[in-house]
Amino acid sequence: MDGVPRVPEQRGPDDSAALRFAVLGPVRAWRGDESLPMGSPQQRALLAALLLREGRTATAAELIDALWGDEPPSQALAAVRTYASRLRKVIDHGVLVSESGGYAMRLPDPGALDLTQAQQLAADAEKAKSGGDLCHARAVLHEVLELWDGEPLAGVPGPYAENQRTRLVEWRLQLLESLLDMDLEQGCHAEAVSELTALTAAHPLRERLRELLMLALYRSGRQAEALAVYADTRRLLADELGVDPRPGLKELQRRILQADPALAEPSAPAAEPAAAPVRPAQLPATVPDFTGRVSFVSELGDILASAEGRVMAVSALAGIGGVGKTTLAVHVAHRARTAFPDGQLYVDLQGTGPRAAEPETVLGSFLRALGAAEVPDTLEERSALYRSMLDGRRVLVLLDNARDAAQVRPLLPGTEGCAALVTSRVRMVDLAGAHLVDLDVMSPEEALQLFTRIVGEERVAAEREAALDVVAACGFLPLAIRIAASRLASRRTWTVSVLASKLADERRRLDELQAGDLAVKATFELGYGQLEPAQARAFRLLGLADGPDISLAAAAAMLDLPVEDAEDVLESLVDTSLVESAAPGRYRYHDLVRLYARACAERDEQPPSERDAALSRLLDFYLATVAGVYALERPGDRLVDHLENARHPGLVFEDRHRAQDWLYAEAVSMLACVRQSMGPDTLSRAVDCLWAAVDVAESGANSKGYEAVAEAAVAAARELGEAKAEARAQNALAFVHHITGRFDLADQEAARAVELAVACGDPLTGCWSSNIRGVIALYQNRHDDGEAHLTRAIENFRALEDRPGEASALCNLSRIHLAEGRTSSAVALARQGTLMYDDMGHSLKGANGRYALGLALTQSGQLGQAAERLQEALDVFRDSRQRLWEGMTLFRLAEVDLSARRAAGAAANAELALTVLRGIGGEWRRGNVLTVLGRALSGIGQIGRAQVCWREALEIYETLGAAEAEEVRGLLKPLAVA
């Protein structure tokens, strides 16, 4: 219920009538959900004094002293009796009792008082901590702290209340310190920095908080700031108290200076039980009919068995495609499972595909499998956390289908007791310390044995010569043998001779059958030849798509089938092992099978134009769906009216959250389709799909991929002489350069886009490119240019009756006015743009409007309204997963806090902004946040940390040649003189 803090309900037959009391905030009482009137401040002081005695009797003299101290009024005793009488009328009979000349509170359930439950929960947390269960202890402490509702005993007068308030505030701080200490023990140092910064600002002389902040900063890779905290603390203690820091703080400074490796990780990770139960078991199922390879199984088994006494056991299997590397590695890994009780990790690195798996992506998956609560952003951070989580554990890592040693190195455990099995087509001679195994085709005896185990002894014994012909035609490759034998086993009416004759027909296989890919393709030819026409067509066409996998809806579009029919065909292909089910509703090809499918399409698809038609339908599907997502996010936006028409419908979403889920889930496959569609017949649609998918870049989630596709589109359009497509592609490229902070490149691309748009009569592209140029001019302090660009954009948007575009340009023009000191007009412009967004029902773009309005209100001194608008924007950006704008809004809230002289709040918001913007937004924006963080830290007396932030910001600005460098030099200059 609104206004009611989380206080435990009294247990009884009628919970709706249960009494509850709160002292960890204002002194209040409830009966069920009904708030009870507690009367005057003195009457609440009496109630608090009785509640805090936990059922013990307080004499009248003690109560008088509690309420008034040494100066009670003449009628104090009568007043106490009056207050008690009034309380009895409000609360239940028998709860406030008179005895021995005084009063007592007899609560039927001790848990009815928030303080009592807080004490019990705190004891439970301490018990869990002592037992090593830090996860549970942290969760319980969070429950305890949630019971607080502001200042304890808020507004209650009297010396007793004041003493108790001080005690409770101190206790809460101790609980917070304990919680933050456990946060650091569990590796949550980056998240703790923001809260510790605010707490040290509020309690500058509390050394334990300073110690925790130093440790959190050091573990976050911010050694200079950690040392600056110590310098600030020493100066403050000397100035305020005339003392030195306590020995523990001095010792921590010494260890940081020496880069003590023991500080880099939690001091007792082994005591954390939350990670121990997470034992990944990701190995694929081993085949029940595994055959042969006896010497290899023994050799690899011996290597893995020695892992316990070695830094790391690595075995790398190399061989041609289809030779059975994965089957052997999985079989050996299953046999060795008991030697690795802490789990087994597995990943297909897709090394033979056009886009191999990125190590940072794989590490993210591994970290989540190992129980990591948070996954860092960079490869280096993920690799370090991966090694830390494996330290002291015995885990086997199977890295299948690797491209090269460079892809593998970040994924190796690197600790004693762990081992890695790697499969690849190349010999990894440059993988230091690896035991290399070259896997060749099977011997004829092993090949026949495998064939027999799948087909059956009786059928093979009757036609041994035919069986030898089959395995020979398969090139003795295990994958080829397995597929051929499985097909025969599922067809009881076939004889082995029938299968052999099919393989003998060279029209049924490639002309040159030999060890390597050709042998695998010959085997696929056998399976492909048995497909029904609809299956074969689906197999050929779906293999043309470049994405790592394909959704059922996208596949249906490619095949021009209803979704239900497409699903039936795809599932039948899964049954033949020619297609894999990547996840419910998603399908993929093994890389070799995809190559074979494309060869089949080139050879068999009639007419040949059907190949292009299938890819065109896939592009139409993505274009239509992306345009629908764009329109759902931006009602009334005219862009969708200016896009190329999609000839195939896409998905339709009623809920914007589901639309966003689809967009981000399909981003990689969608961008692959766009990149694949750079031909003369599809380029315009591809570029429009890219433009409509702008949220993919703006969120920061796929900015790099988006940029690469935009660059390819510009080049393709230029080569084909397609001016309109080139203008739109350059507009997209300008936007992503602007998002990533490369403003000179962005302005060049946008200027070219404007020229082309005018030349080819594409006014909408010209509008948006002018809009981008205006924003870039703002960032580069070219205000006259910026106003000219934005004024032109506004006029052209109005001519097109594009109100969302007009609103965007108005909000951007507001920021130009703001930079020139025209505050009143800046507020008016931002408010006008925001109202336009609101009238059209624009949630996401309305948040951009509120962002601009918040900036204008900040500079006009209307700080309360500014904070409200920015908080509204922040809520939408978080809900829409727009990390760039989430981080920038936190940065702007920090500026509001600074203007309101709330330095601690500014520091906390700026710290959060740094965390959110890690890896996105570009260095210029990072420099801006660091500058504001430095101002905030200076405001709370942490001058040393402020200097570290400013020096880093100055280095960024000087590298970029940014004008902001002069401002930061000005901030550092007084400190250098001092």
Side-chain angles (χ1 to χ4, degrees):
M1 186 176 72
D2 292 344
V4 180
R6 183 180 171 278
V7 179
E9 299 229 355
Q10 177 180 344
R11 297 173 179 83
D14 182 7
D15 283 346
S16 63
L19 274 177
R20 296 176 291 137
F21 296 91
V23 294
L24 299 178
V27 175
R28 290 178 287 184
W30 296 265
R31 180 182 290 108
D33 290 339
E34 177 191 2
S35 179
L36 303 178
M38 289 294 100
S40 67
Q42 285 78 14
Q43 187 169 308
R44 283 184 279 116
L46 175 67
L47 177 61
L50 294 173
L51 288 170
L52 291 171
R53 277 172 167 76
E54 299 178 350
R56 298 188 304 275
T57 300
T59 66
E62 288 173 333
L63 291 172
I64 290 171
D65 184 63
L67 269 64
W68 294 286
D70 296 334
E71 299 180 357
S74 58
Q75 300 297 318
L77 180 58
V80 167
R81 290 171 176 166
T82 300
Y83 298 151
S85 176
R86 290 173 179 170
L87 286 170
R88 279 200 183 100
K89 294 178 181 178
V90 176
I91 60 181
D92 293 354
H93 175 72
V95 173
L96 199 167
V97 298
S98 302
E99 59 182 28
S100 305
Y103 299 94
M105 291 289 291
R106 300 282 191 251
L107 299 182
D109 180 2
L113 178 63
D114 59 355
L115 176 59
T116 303
Q117 193 192 16
Q119 292 168 334
Q120 181 59 53
L121 287 171
D124 293 344
E126 184 60 33
K127 183 178 179 182
K129 181 181 178 182
S130 300
D133 191 353
L134 297 188
C135 238
H136 180 62
R138 288 173 67 208
V140 175
L141 274 185
H142 276 295
E143 282 190 67
V144 176
L145 293 169
E146 285 176 4
L147 292 173
W148 259 264
D149 188 27
E151 182 184 52
L153 305 174
V156 175
Y160 180 80
E162 184 59 36
N163 291 337
Q164 292 296 316
R165 187 160 36 244
T166 301
R167 175 180 72 85
L168 293 172
V169 168
E170 171 63 23
W171 183 48
R172 183 176 184 277
L173 279 173
Q174 292 172 359
L175 293 174
L176 268 173
E177 288 173 345
S178 179
L179 176 59
L180 288 163
D181 188 24
M182 287 188 283
D183 285 346
L184 297 188
E185 284 302 302
Q186 291 208 302
C188 301
H189 32 266
E191 295 83 352
V193 169
S194 176
E195 185 170 4
L196 282 165
T197 298
L199 285 170
T200 53
H203 307 280
L205 298 176
R206 201 170 182 93
E207 292 184 67
R208 178 56 178 156
L209 289 174
R210 298 270 183 161
E211 183 179 346
L212 291 170
L213 177 57
M214 288 174 64
L215 186 58
L217 286 166
Y218 180 74
R219 288 183 178 171
S220 299
R222 298 159 70 175
Q223 180 180 6
E225 284 189 65
L227 293 170
V229 170
Y230 178 81
D232 291 336
T233 304
R234 183 176 60 181
R235 175 186 52 77
L236 182 66
L237 291 172
D239 292 346
E240 297 290 331
L241 304 177
V243 299
D244 289 331
R246 61 187 179 85
L249 208 59
K250 292 180 180 179
E251 174 64 13
L252 180 59
Q253 184 222 19
R254 182 190 65 78
R255 295 176 69 188
I256 290 174
L257 283 170
Q258 295 176 352
D260 185 346
L263 281 182
E265 297 296 336
S267 59
E272 176 51 57
V278 182
R279 297 184 179 88
Q282 298 184 340
L283 294 178
T286 187
V287 293
D289 48 25
F290 181 86
T291 302
R293 309 297 199 187
V294 176
S295 62
F296 290 116
V297 171
S298 176
E299 179 182 352
L300 292 169
D302 291 343
I303 295 294
L304 295 181
S306 68
E308 186 173 3
R310 302 174 59 180
V311 172
M312 176 178 54
V314 180
S315 296
L317 286 71
I320 59 174
V323 78
K325 301 181 296 293
T326 298
T327 301
L328 174 59
V330 170
H331 179 76
V332 170
H334 274 282
R335 286 172 58 97
R337 285 184 63 178
T338 56
F340 300 94
D342 295 316
Q344 306 86 39
L345 296 168
Y346 171 85
V347 65
D348 178 1
L349 294 173
Q350 303 176 34
T352 54
R355 293 177 181 83
E358 293 295 335
E360 54 262 45
T361 302
V362 176
L363 283 171
S365 176
F366 279 1
L367 288 171
R368 283 185 285 271
L370 289 167
E374 296 289 338
V375 176
D377 292 313
T378 67
L379 173 61
E380 293 75 16
E381 290 175 319
R382 290 184 179 189
S383 188
L385 178 58
Y386 173 62
R387 292 191 297 270
S388 298
M389 294 189 74
L390 290 180
D391 186 39
R393 304 173 73 177
R394 299 180 62 189
V395 174
L396 175 62
V397 183
L398 177 47
L399 305 173
D400 193 19
N401 194 13
R403 177 185 57 202
D404 51 31
Q407 185 189 27
V408 166
R409 287 190 192 99
L411 308 177
L412 297 178
T415 55
E416 182 177 343
C418 291
L421 272 174
V422 184
T423 73
S424 176
R425 291 194 187 182
V426 299
R427 297 186 78 246
M428 295 195 175
V429 294
D430 53 345
L431 190 61
H435 175 75
L436 302 181
V437 176
D438 291 324
L439 196 60
D440 202 350
V441 297
M442 283 182 154
S443 67
E445 293 76 18
E446 286 180 331
L448 185 60
Q449 184 182 359
L450 174 60
F451 184 79
T452 302
R453 295 190 66 174
I454 297 171
V455 173
E457 178 69 33
E458 183 179 350
R459 296 175 77 182
V460 174
E463 299 180 90
R464 181 178 175 80
E465 291 301 319
L468 287 172
D469 290 341
V470 168
V471 296
C474 290
F476 306 111
L477 282 168
L479 180 59
I481 296 166
R482 181 172 299 280
I483 293 176
S486 298
R487 182 65 60 188
L488 180 61
S490 64
R491 285 159 174 77
R492 303 304 299 178
T493 59
W494 283 13
T495 63
V496 181
S497 297
V498 169
L499 178 60
S501 65
K502 289 179 178 292
L503 288 174
D505 183 1
E506 292 192 357
R507 294 173 299 176
R508 305 291 304 169
R509 58 178 179 164
L510 300 179
D511 293 337
E512 296 183 15
L513 183 60
Q514 54 186 307
D517 290 350
L518 293 178
V520 175
K521 290 178 182 177
T523 306
F524 294 154
E525 183 77 21
L526 174 66
Y528 174 70
Q530 304 305 315
L531 296 179
E532 298 295 332
Q535 293 175 314
R537 174 178 177 270
F539 175 73
R540 293 191 301 267
L541 295 182
L542 295 179
L544 297 171
D546 269 351
D549 60 7
I550 191 167
S551 69
L552 175 58
M558 275 197 85
L559 300 175
D560 199 18
L561 291 175
V563 171
E564 295 79 6
D565 294 347
E567 184 174 24
D568 289 342
V569 173
L570 282 163
E571 288 298 324
S572 70
L573 288 174
V574 171
D575 291 339
T576 67
S577 300
L578 289 173
V579 172
E580 299 175 17
S581 177
R586 301 198 73 85
Y587 301 89
R588 68 185 176 202
Y589 287 79
H590 184 279
D591 45 14
L592 296 177
V593 179
R594 183 195 299 275
L595 292 175
Y596 173 73
R598 290 182 174 183
C600 290
E602 292 175 6
R603 182 190 65 193
D604 299 341
E605 199 59 49
Q606 298 298 330
S609 59
E610 176 59 13
R611 299 196 298 271
D612 293 335
L615 288 171
S616 178
R617 288 192 295 270
L618 179 62
L619 177 61
D620 281 337
F621 166 79
Y622 281 128
L623 173 59
T625 308
V626 166
V629 174
Y630 185 97
L632 189 62
E633 287 279 13
R634 302 165 176 81
D637 196 305
R638 294 297 307 280
L639 173 62
V640 294
D641 299 327
H642 290 260
L643 298 176
E644 292 287 322
N645 291 324
R647 292 180 282 270
H648 192 286
L651 299 176
V652 177
F653 302 98
E654 296 183 2
D655 175 72
R656 72 183 188 88
H657 293 97
R658 294 190 64 185
Q660 289 169 352
D661 289 342
W662 177 89
L663 180 63
Y664 294 125
E666 288 288 332
V668 175
S669 295
M670 179 271 296
L671 290 174
C673 175
V674 170
R675 187 164 192 160
Q676 194 177 7
S677 305
M678 299 295 176
D681 296 331
T682 54
L683 178 62
S684 295
R685 282 178 288 151
V687 170
D688 282 0
C689 184
L690 188 67
W691 189 356
V694 67
D695 284 346
V696 169
E698 192 168 10
S699 69
N702 294 89
S703 297
K704 290 182 180 178
Y706 189 95
E707 178 184 344
V709 176
E711 288 175 341
V714 170
R718 192 167 293 162
E719 182 178 345
L720 292 170
E722 292 284 350
K724 180 178 177 181
E726 183 182 349
R728 294 189 170 195
Q730 286 188 304
N731 178 70
L733 189 55
F735 182 80
V736 76
H737 282 324
H738 147 250
I739 288 296
T740 53
R742 287 168 287 180
F743 301 129
D744 288 338
L745 285 174
D747 194 51
Q748 292 171 19
E749 299 291 349
R752 174 68 174 158
V754 171
E755 291 176 11
L756 288 169
V758 172
C760 69
D762 185 14
L764 186 65
T765 302
C767 289
W768 283 109
S769 297
S770 295
N771 196 29
I772 292 173
R773 295 200 73 193
V775 175
I776 295 165
L778 166 70
Y779 292 154
Q780 296 182 329
N781 297 312
R782 296 183 288 106
H783 300 149
D784 291 343
D785 289 346
E787 184 157 8
H789 292 313
L790 291 169
T791 301
R792 187 180 307 113
I794 291 169
E795 293 171 352
N796 292 335
F797 276 129
R798 284 174 178 165
L800 292 172
E801 298 182 357
D802 190 327
R803 298 187 70 233
E806 179 187 348
S808 174
L810 285 169
C811 291
N812 291 331
L813 183 60
S814 162
R815 297 182 62 183
I816 294 284
H817 283 217
L818 202 61
E820 294 183 329
R822 294 182 276 169
T823 309
S824 297
S825 60
V827 171
L829 286 166
R831 188 165 277 138
Q832 180 184 355
T834 303
L835 287 173
M836 290 174 68
Y837 280 136
D838 289 347
D839 288 344
M840 292 178 285
H842 273 254
S843 175
L844 179 57
K845 301 309 292 182
N848 288 117
R850 282 167 173 74
Y851 176 88
L853 181 56
L855 302 190
L857 291 169
T858 300
Q859 195 158 315
S860 71
Q862 302 175 63
L863 302 182
Q865 290 188 46
E868 288 176 7
R869 299 294 82 76
L870 289 170
Q871 187 60 54
E872 290 168 356
L874 180 62
D875 293 341
V876 174
F877 290 141
R878 281 176 171 164
D879 185 57
S880 301
R881 288 175 283 185
Q882 289 287 334
R883 287 180 58 212
L884 171 66
W885 287 108
E886 177 188 348
M888 291 305 298
T889 307
L890 286 165
F891 161 61
R892 298 303 184 182
L893 283 167
E895 291 186 321
V896 173
D897 288 330
L898 275 182
S899 298
R901 302 184 185 277
R902 297 189 297 265
N909 277 323
E911 283 284 1
L912 287 174
L914 279 180
T915 300
V916 173
L917 291 173
R918 189 184 303 155
I920 62 174
E923 287 296 285
W924 180 76
R925 290 184 176 90
R926 177 176 171 79
N928 292 345
V929 179
L930 285 167
T931 302
V932 167
L933 177 57
R935 290 182 183 275
L937 292 171
S938 177
I940 59 177
Q942 298 186 19
I943 306 299
R945 277 187 71 193
Q947 286 181 287
V948 173
C949 292
W950 287 334
R951 289 193 189 103
E952 186 178 347
L954 180 60
E955 183 179 347
I956 290 172
Y957 291 144
E958 287 178 341
T959 300
L960 297 174
E964 289 83 359
E966 194 59 37
E967 174 195 353
V968 180
R969 291 191 194 99
L971 292 170
L972 287 166
K973 188 174 181 181
L975 299 174
V977 172

